[in-house]
Amino acid sequence: MQRKQIAEWSQPFQSLPESVFWSRVKPSPLVSPCWVDINHLLAESVAVSTLLSSDQALIAASGGEPLPEWDPIAQAYSGHQFGQWAGALGDGRGLYLGVSSNKGNAYEWHLKGAGKTPYSRSGDGRAVLRSSIREYLGSEYMNALGVPTTRALALVTSQTPVLRETVEQGATLIRLARSHLRIGHFEHVYHSRRESELRELIQFAIQQLDPELIDQTNPEEVLFDRYLDRSARLVAEWMAVGFVHGVMNTDNTALSGETLDYGPYGFVGHFDPGYVINHTDAQGRYAFGQQPHVMQWNLGCLAECLTSFVGVDTLRAMLASFPERFRHHYRQTMASRLAVTTDNPRLDLITDGLASLFSVPGTFYLEGFQWLLLDEPHGLSKRAIDQNKLISLRKIWSEEKEVDLMPKALNLAPSWMLSHWLLEEVISQANVGDYSGVVSLREDLNCGISMPSLYAERFGGSPPSAGSGYHLSCSS
Ligand code: AMP
Ligand code: MG
C-alpha cells in the first residue's frame, strides 16, 4: 500500500505580476530519460518520497508532463556580472515548480535543464550531466559541512545530445531552496524604474523569508540589516571551509543566505586567498580571498535598490558594517568547528595558525580540522605538513578546547574531500552509464561528513598533482 503524501503545495511566486516577474513555461522533455539518483533522505524529510516513486515522476523530472502539483514558470531577474550591469537575465534553463510544505518546513522546487524559456537568450535551456553531477554532489557536500545551501533532490540523465566544448548528455536536476530570490530580482524592478512593483517585491520577500516583519510600517531598513547579516554569515562559512563560488554575480546571490547556482565552484587545495577557480575570471575578481569583499559589493547593488525607502547615509553606514559582521560570523563558525568558545582570546591565533599551516602547497586545507581535532589523522597533507608547526598549534589548541564542544566540532570535520579529481572520476564513470559514484557519495553524505567514504578513499585517494592549481570553465 502506498503511503499518504503529506506535503502541501502552493505557488506563491505567481501572486506577483506575471509580465514583470515571470512567464509560464511548458518544459521540453529529454530523450530516453533515466534516474541517476534520488536523494531519498531529503525526499523523506520533505515528505515527497511517494511522489518521486511514481511512474509520472521520471517523466516530469525530465521535462515531460509536469506533476499535477507543479505549475512551471521561469522567473525574471537582472544582475551585475563581473562588476558590470548585465541587464535582464532570468531563468534561462531553470523552472520554478512551486513550494512544498511539510510540518512548517517549506521548500521551493526548481527544475534545471528542462529546455528554453523566454529568458534563454542564445542558450539552449539545457544542463549537461557533468555540471549537474557537480551541483548535485557539491550542494550535498556543503550541506554536510553545515553551510547554508540549496539542496539536491534528484538527478536525471538522458540520450539528448547537448553541445558544449564537445557533445555531452543532457540532464535535469531538481533542487530545493528556502527561496530562489536573488539580489538580481530587486535590481530587475529598480533599474526599470518600476517603483510599485519594487514595493510588491519587498512585501513578497518579507512574506517568504522574514514573515515576522509583515506588520512593520517601514520594514526596509530591518530587511536590509537581515540580508547583510545572512550574507555575511554565508560568506564566513565559505571562507571557513575553503569554498570558492566562482561566479559571485548579483544574479547568483540569494537573499536567503543560501549558496546558490553551483557553476565553476570548488574548494581550495592549500589555503590560498589568491586562488581563482573560474578560468574566464582573468582579473581574479572572484578569487577565494576576495569573496567577503565581493559579497559586500553585491550588497551595495542591493542597497541602491532600497534608496527610495531608506536614507542613503543609513544604507552606507549599514553597508560599512559588513566587514565587522563577517568577522563576527567567521569567529563564530571557526569557534564551533574547533571546539573553542567564541570569546576565547586565542581563537584568532588558532584560526590563523590553521590557515598558515595549510598554506603550503601539497597540503589540503579541508583536512585541517581533523588534523587539529584528532590525534591520529590520516590524509593527503601528510607529506607537506610542517610537523613542528603542527605540534605547537595543537598544543595551543588543546589548552583552549572545550570538551563539551567537541562532538559538534568532530561532526563537522570532513573525513574526505570533494576534490576535483574525485568529481572527475565520478563524472567519467557516469558518462558511460555507471552512476554508482553519485549514489555512493550522496549516501555517504546523508550519514554526515565526518564518516569515512569508501568510494572517496578509493577514487579520491591520490591527487593528479599537488596544490590548488585547477581551473574550470563556466560551460555547463
Ligand atoms: P549562471 O551564471 O550560470 O547562473 O547563468 C547566467 C544566466 O545565463 C542566467 O540567466 C542563466 O539562466 C542563463 N543560462 C546559463 N546557461 C544557459 C543555457 N544553457 N541556456 C539558457 N540560459 C542559460
Ligand atoms: Mg545563475
Side-chain angles (χ1 to χ4, degrees):
M1 198 178 76
Q2 282 215 326
R3 219 161 18 86
K4 192 170 170 291
Q5 191 62 42
I6 50 172
E8 290 172 6
W9 285 81
S10 57
Q11 317 289 339
F13 199 82
Q14 283 85 322
S15 67
L16 290 168
E18 177 171 356
S19 55
V20 180
F21 288 105
W22 55 275
S23 302
R24 190 161 271 111
V25 174
K26 189 174 183 310
S28 310
L30 293 172
V31 176
S32 309
C34 81
W35 294 115
V36 173
D37 189 34
I38 296 176
N39 189 346
H40 293 289
L41 194 70
L42 180 60
E44 287 286 337
S45 77
V46 181
V48 293
S49 50
T50 319
L51 184 77
L52 290 179
S53 62
S54 72
D55 291 342
Q56 296 95 327
L58 176 61
I59 295 170
S62 56
E65 179 65 24
L67 292 173
E69 290 86 353
W70 298 355
D71 179 21
I73 61 163
Q75 298 185 350
Y77 49 83
S78 296
H80 280 84
Q81 299 188 317
F82 292 90
Q84 305 294 322
W85 175 240
L89 298 165
D91 289 331
R93 55 163 169 178
L95 299 173
Y96 167 100
L97 303 172
V99 176
S100 67
S101 305
N102 173 41
K103 301 180 189 146
N105 217 0
Y107 277 112
E108 284 186 5
W109 286 48
H110 183 94
L111 177 63
K112 194 165 176 178
K116 286 187 186 173
T117 79
Y119 315 115
S120 297
R121 292 167 292 150
S122 57
D124 56 12
R126 293 299 185 197
V128 294
L129 182 59
R130 164 180 55 86
S131 64
S132 305
I133 289 175
R134 287 176 46 77
E135 170 154 1
Y136 191 82
L137 291 176
S139 56
E140 288 309 290
Y141 191 80
M142 289 284 270
N143 177 63
L145 282 172
V147 181
T149 176
T150 57
R151 299 292 306 276
L153 184 68
L155 180 57
V156 173
T157 188
S158 75
Q159 300 294 321
T160 300
V162 176
L163 183 65
R164 295 293 180 258
E165 277 92 359
T166 59
V167 176
E168 301 189 46
Q169 294 167 52
T172 52
L173 171 85
I174 299 181
R175 75 172 177 216
L176 308 184
R178 293 281 163 214
S179 164
H180 285 83
L181 282 176
R182 304 146 191 267
I183 290 180
H185 277 100
F186 277 71
E187 292 178 293
H188 191 60
V189 275
Y190 171 77
H191 288 283
S192 54
R193 299 181 206 289
R194 296 178 187 273
E195 174 110 11
S196 74
E197 283 91 350
L198 179 56
R199 284 176 196 279
E200 280 185 77
L201 179 64
I202 290 170
Q203 277 312 309
F204 178 77
I206 290 173
Q207 279 164 15
Q208 295 299 298
L209 287 167
D210 300 277
E212 319 74 46
L213 306 182
I214 280 174
D215 294 327
Q216 288 217 5
T217 18
N218 293 309
E220 291 81 6
E221 189 178 322
V222 186
L223 197 62
F224 186 56
D225 183 81
R226 290 191 173 197
Y227 293 160
L228 274 173
D229 215 60
R230 289 203 279 260
S231 310
R233 167 161 179 231
L234 178 66
V235 82
E237 295 287 355
W238 290 357
M239 298 311 289
V241 301
F243 176 78
V244 196
H245 183 283
V247 207
M248 281 181 74
N249 295 330
T250 57
D251 54 299
N252 291 337
T253 308
L255 300 175
S256 60
E258 293 166 293
T259 311
L260 174 72
D261 281 6
Y262 288 78
Y265 76 87
F267 294 87
V268 292
H270 61 277
F271 194 93
D272 174 9
Y275 177 43
V276 180
I277 193 157
N278 183 350
H279 86 134
T280 54
D281 183 9
Q283 312 288 315
R285 180 181 175 84
Y286 298 140
F288 173 56
Q290 287 298 311
Q291 296 184 123
H293 170 72
V294 172
M295 187 62 94
Q296 184 178 7
W297 190 91
N298 289 354
L299 286 155
C301 295
L302 178 63
E304 193 187 337
C305 305
L306 297 175
T307 42
S308 302
F309 310 96
V310 187
V312 172
D313 290 344
T314 306
L315 287 167
R316 278 216 182 96
M318 290 170 80
L319 201 56
S321 71
F322 186 86
E324 189 46 45
R325 290 172 194 247
F326 165 74
R327 275 191 293 278
H328 164 78
H329 287 292
Y330 188 69
R331 284 180 60 85
Q332 278 212 320
T333 187
M334 289 307 281
S336 78
R337 289 174 191 279
L338 297 170
V340 172
T341 55
T342 316
D343 57 5
N344 187 305
R346 291 166 96 193
L347 172 59
D348 289 350
L349 184 71
I350 300 169
T351 299
D352 294 348
L354 191 68
S356 157
L357 188 61
F358 285 87
S359 64
V360 179
T363 60
F364 292 88
Y365 171 69
L366 260 177
E367 292 186 349
F369 297 97
Q370 286 211 344
W371 277 90
L372 212 57
L373 299 174
L374 300 182
D375 287 333
E376 283 180 23
H378 63 280
L380 304 173
S381 306
K382 202 168 197 129
R383 260 182 293 149
I385 208 160
D386 181 328
Q387 290 296 333
N388 292 332
K389 262 189 170 179
L390 174 67
I391 290 165
S392 64
L393 185 63
R394 286 204 80 211
K395 183 170 178 295
I396 300 172
W397 169 78
S398 58
E399 287 162 11
E400 306 304 329
K401 73 157 192 236
E402 305 279 337
V403 176
D404 6 330
L405 299 179
M406 278 296 276
K408 187 175 174 203
L410 285 168
N411 262 337
L412 288 178
S415 72
W416 57 278
M417 297 183 297
L418 189 65
S419 58
H420 63 82
W421 62 92
L422 176 60
L423 276 168
E424 272 171 16
E425 187 61 39
V426 174
I427 290 165
S428 65
Q429 290 175 4
N431 280 337
V432 292
D434 175 1
Y435 310 127
S436 58
V438 181
V439 177
S440 305
L441 293 180
R442 191 269 307 157
E443 282 175 346
D444 292 340
L445 289 169
N446 284 167
C447 299
I449 197 74
S450 61
M451 303 301 286
S453 161
L454 285 178
Y455 186 92
E457 252 166 52
R458 183 155 169 228
F459 293 105
S462 51
S465 64
S468 324
Y470 180 73
H471 306 280
L472 283 164
S473 86
C474 255
S475 102
S476 57

